[in-house]
Amino acid sequence: MQRRRPRGRRIAALLLWGWFGAAATPAAALGIDPGRLSADDLAATQALVDDVLPRLPTTWRDGLPAGLVLQWRDDLPAHVAGRRVGDRVLLPRRLLETWKTRDSLAPDDASVLVVRQALVHELAHSYDRARRNILSGDPRLRDLAGWQRSVLPLAGRRSRNDFVARTPDPYERERPAEFVAVNLEHFVLDPDYGCRRPALHRHFATHFGMPPAVEACAPGLPFLEADADASDASLLALDPSRVYAIDYLLAEGNTQAMSRWGHSMLRLVICAPGRVPGPDCRFDLAHHRVLSFRAFVGDVQISGWRGLTGSYPSRLFLLPLDQVIEEYTRVELRGLRSIPLRLDDVEIASLLERAAQLHWSYDGRYYFISNNCAVETWKLLHDGVPRLAGESLASITPTGLLKKLERRGIADAGVLDDADEARRLGYYFEPLSARYDALFAVARESLALPQQDAQAWLALSPIERAAWLPKADLRTSAALLVLETAAQRRQQLLLRDHLKRHYLGRDAPADIAPALQALRAWLGDTGFISRPSELLPQGYGLPQAAERERITEEARLRLARLREQDGRLREELERWLPADQRDVLHGIEANLETIGVRLRNP
């Protein structure tokens, strides 16, 4: 093992348990090399062995190789906390000196925990290697750890582990064997481990034949819900027992190259407070949420070239269903199909737990072919529901993934057979193109417009549309107001995407003026929306009670800064837009003002 000195905390209760449990230590499990050790050194070393071994599960202790010996060394590099060489566990002599001062230190002093962690880490390697990598080679553990399967059949597992945030030690991402050793340190020594990494805690407990009991955890699974446009953010503690069902949510494709095969998401059918979970929860639309992999909140389209080259992040957002419906049906004019997945309550809870882990830890890269929304959704299903890991579901397109889910009886597409009933029950949300066409028909009949439909009308420049506005009566003006508002929303999304890609991307100009640097800082201050771990980089795993309070407070402070700078910096943002795009935005605003005057002064 080669890594930085670990950090952590020690619980007094565990310390006392360690002392009183020493009598149960199987002395033969770990010998001591007495070379160059004084009587005090030998006594301290034996005390360390007697402290650590009882903490290990019986299966682990019994599985250690015979003849294992602990040796203190003076020649290990400064950054090395321990090594396993043959039948020797090598620890740096400096740790022995720290351990000998333990009685003079506070019960929760982190330096004593460092010594325990170093020994547990090497004993974890010893157990794993002696059992032919029984843990580090376990496919299920590699799924949980972040070495995910590739969607490409011959590629096996990805060598890159993108679970980079809220880690107990970045060294765990070095390779699966180190992941096992680092996490077994916390499994043994941190009573909060079961709350912070519940799936891994259960996996280790099952392997070692232990009851999966953990300390009382903060209630619910934490997700950050934030809306930069509304300058609002909140921390949702999602209770899996309130989630009646999970649907595969497909945004239908359009003519854009990057959206031709649709967009994969998962819809959480969450019951309203007070409602007993059941079919009627499907009508509680205001409480439903959507799990969606995307680069930025609100971005429903991405650049084709940048998507091919992995220039976008791929992060998991929890979004209100009504926001997703507006984005796709009103702005993108794409329908949404909501197909129920056949999952039981335990599987729903497991999937949501995995989603929470991704939300706080995962920072992937978007690739149009190998790591797009369909691939990310498949990996979430594969890793979050063990039963589905045995199904051949991998697909690089959202429609392809849906077809595989249907063929294997996991998705119930029969809910769409009756179109009227599907709309009534919320299994299908139709695009507003039909409504826009109906509104446009009103304007076309009144003004004798030459365009054939709403799409052709919205494709005109704002100046071309402006020429017709003074001729509209009240009814026509009301129809054109809806269409012009849709044009404004679409243009705002396009411009926001342009600004983020140009000024926050890898290819941002190196010689940025001070004003532009302020804009980058302003845009960067919204980064916590897509990466909530920025709000509290300390700690690991799922945030617990005290951390959630600090996260909420930090989000509040950041939003206050955004509101304070909002007006001035929005003007700066417009100044850095290309002139033609700025003209389009101003033209739409002028059109809305013209229509507004007409409606206020009939």
Side-chain angles (χ1 to χ4, degrees):
M1 176 185 88
Q2 289 188 335
R3 61 171 180 171
R4 62 167 175 78
R5 293 184 182 90
R7 59 183 180 180
R9 61 187 178 86
R10 182 167 61 127
I11 306 301
L14 284 180
L15 175 62
L16 293 173
W17 177 84
W19 293 120
F20 289 115
T25 302
L30 180 63
I32 299 172
D33 184 339
R36 300 177 61 189
L37 295 183
S38 67
D40 287 346
D41 292 340
L42 279 170
T45 304
Q46 187 62 56
L48 174 63
V49 171
D50 292 345
D51 176 272
V52 168
L53 285 183
R55 302 174 187 273
L56 308 185
T58 302
T59 304
W60 182 346
R61 292 200 306 266
D62 293 346
L64 290 172
L68 195 63
V69 174
L70 169 60
Q71 182 182 35
W72 298 105
R73 299 289 290 265
D74 294 313
D75 56 351
L76 295 176
H79 66 278
V80 172
R83 278 180 178 163
R84 162 76 194 283
V85 179
D87 62 355
R88 299 264 158 167
V89 171
L90 310 180
L91 297 183
R93 181 75 180 233
R94 66 178 181 275
L95 294 184
L96 174 59
E97 299 307 315
T98 298
W99 179 254
K100 287 164 63 177
T101 66
R102 64 193 181 282
D103 292 338
S104 64
L105 300 174
D108 59 350
D109 191 283
S111 60
V112 177
L113 177 61
V114 166
V115 184
R116 289 194 179 100
Q117 285 178 320
L119 181 54
V120 171
H121 189 104
E122 300 310 324
L123 293 177
H125 281 313
S126 299
Y127 172 82
D128 190 41
R129 293 175 191 173
R131 313 291 290 182
R132 298 180 180 273
N133 301 324
I134 191 171
L135 285 170
S136 60
D138 183 352
R140 175 60 180 162
L141 185 134
R142 292 193 178 196
D143 289 341
L144 295 173
W147 281 278
Q148 298 173 299
R149 292 186 182 277
S150 171
V151 71
L152 305 175
L154 301 180
R157 289 186 182 273
R158 301 177 69 224
S159 59
R160 173 173 167 170
N161 187 325
D162 287 323
F163 285 71
V164 299
R166 288 192 61 80
T167 169
D169 186 340
Y171 191 61
E172 69 174 349
R173 296 169 52 235
E174 184 75 14
R175 54 186 176 271
E178 297 301 343
F179 183 91
V180 167
V182 168
N183 278 268
L184 284 180
E185 293 175 27
H186 294 269
F187 176 75
V188 168
L189 299 173
D190 184 359
D192 285 345
Y193 184 73
C195 299
R196 295 182 177 279
R197 288 187 163 176
L200 283 163
H201 183 276
R202 285 195 303 273
H203 187 84
F204 288 133
T206 299
H207 173 82
F208 290 122
M210 300 169 58
V214 297
E215 298 292 324
C217 304
L221 297 170
F223 288 90
L224 183 71
E225 288 193 301
D227 185 342
D229 290 338
S231 296
D232 191 21
S234 61
L235 197 64
L236 172 69
L238 179 61
D239 180 357
S241 69
R242 303 297 302 163
V243 180
Y244 167 68
I246 296 180
D247 291 3
Y248 181 84
L249 188 63
L250 174 69
E252 296 174 336
N254 58 18
T255 58
Q256 300 295 321
M258 300 295 282
S259 306
R260 190 165 298 163
W261 292 276
H263 181 71
S264 296
M265 297 168 279
L266 295 177
R267 172 188 177 187
L268 311 183
V269 181
I270 303 175
C271 305
R275 188 190 294 279
V276 177
D280 285 348
C281 294
R282 289 198 167 273
F283 296 108
D284 299 329
L285 298 185
H287 298 275
H288 295 187
R289 296 294 183 266
V290 173
L291 293 169
S292 178
F293 288 93
R294 50 177 65 187
F296 302 105
V297 67
D299 290 346
V300 293
Q301 294 294 126
I302 62 173
S303 156
W305 174 249
R306 293 174 66 85
L308 287 170
T309 59
S311 297
Y312 284 106
S314 178
R315 296 166 183 163
L316 183 60
F317 290 82
L318 185 76
L319 305 169
L321 176 63
D322 54 7
Q323 176 183 323
V324 174
I325 292 173
E326 178 181 353
E327 287 179 354
Y328 286 101
T329 66
R330 184 180 299 274
V331 179
E332 287 290 303
L333 303 182
R334 298 159 65 179
L336 287 168
R337 303 181 215 164
S338 191
I339 314 299
L341 298 177
R342 294 188 173 97
L343 303 174
D344 62 32
D345 291 345
V346 173
E347 291 172 333
I348 287 175
S350 176
L351 181 59
L352 295 176
E353 195 176 82
R354 178 64 172 183
Q357 180 190 5
L358 287 163
H359 183 67
W360 289 99
S361 300
Y362 181 69
D363 191 8
R365 307 308 301 176
Y366 181 99
Y367 289 92
F368 180 51
I369 299 297
S370 61
N371 205 51
N372 56 38
C373 62
V375 175
E376 293 281 32
T377 303
W378 161 67
K379 289 189 297 185
L380 175 54
L381 292 169
H382 178 281
D383 299 344
V385 183
R387 172 174 64 91
L388 300 186
E391 299 283 353
S392 179
L393 297 174
S395 176
I396 63 172
T397 68
T399 51
L401 177 56
L402 178 57
K403 288 177 181 177
K404 289 190 174 185
L405 289 167
E406 290 175 19
R407 283 199 295 266
R408 285 158 181 77
I410 300 165
D412 179 15
V415 296
L416 300 178
D417 291 345
D418 186 328
D420 291 337
E421 191 71 356
R423 286 191 292 270
R424 186 183 73 84
L425 296 176
Y427 294 116
Y428 186 71
F429 301 94
E430 61 185 350
L432 292 188
S433 49
R435 181 187 174 193
Y436 289 166
D437 284 339
L439 291 170
F440 177 74
V442 172
R444 185 184 183 204
E445 180 180 356
S446 173
L447 301 175
L449 298 174
Q451 290 73 34
Q452 295 300 310
D453 54 28
Q455 287 280 47
W457 169 256
L458 294 174
L460 298 175
S461 70
I463 293 177
E464 291 175 304
R465 293 196 299 270
W468 297 92
L469 301 182
K471 307 173 185 178
D473 58 22
L474 283 178
R475 182 167 177 261
T476 304
S477 294
L480 292 176
L481 176 65
V482 175
L483 295 175
E484 202 67 22
T485 302
Q488 182 186 46
R489 174 63 172 154
R490 182 178 298 185
Q491 187 65 18
Q492 287 172 341
L493 284 177
L494 291 173
L495 297 182
R496 180 167 57 186
D497 178 68
H498 170 84
L499 288 166
K500 286 176 177 175
R501 286 189 288 110
H502 192 64
Y503 298 126
L504 293 182
R506 297 175 182 173
D507 55 351
D511 55 342
I512 298 177
L516 187 52
Q517 289 178 342
L519 293 178
R520 289 193 69 189
W522 182 76
L523 289 170
D525 220 10
T526 67
F528 73 94
I529 296 172
S530 64
R531 198 178 184 193
S533 59
E534 289 184 6
L535 295 171
L536 189 68
Q538 301 83 12
Y540 73 96
L542 301 182
Q544 295 304 298
E547 293 173 309
R548 295 183 190 185
E549 293 179 5
R550 293 198 294 272
I551 287 169
T552 300
E553 177 62 15
E554 178 61 23
R556 186 191 66 80
L557 292 174
R558 291 204 188 191
L559 287 167
R561 290 199 299 268
L562 291 174
R563 293 188 191 103
E564 184 179 316
Q565 306 171 44
D566 186 71
R568 178 178 60 83
L569 289 177
R570 281 185 185 275
E571 293 179 2
E572 291 286 346
L573 284 172
E574 285 193 17
R575 190 162 66 86
W576 290 101
L577 290 172
D580 57 340
Q581 295 186 24
R582 189 167 61 246
D583 290 343
V584 169
L585 186 60
H586 291 166
I588 293 174
E589 292 171 350
N591 288 350
L592 289 171
E593 178 62 24
T594 298
I595 298 172
V597 170
R598 180 72 181 91
L599 292 174
R600 290 192 298 271
N601 301 287

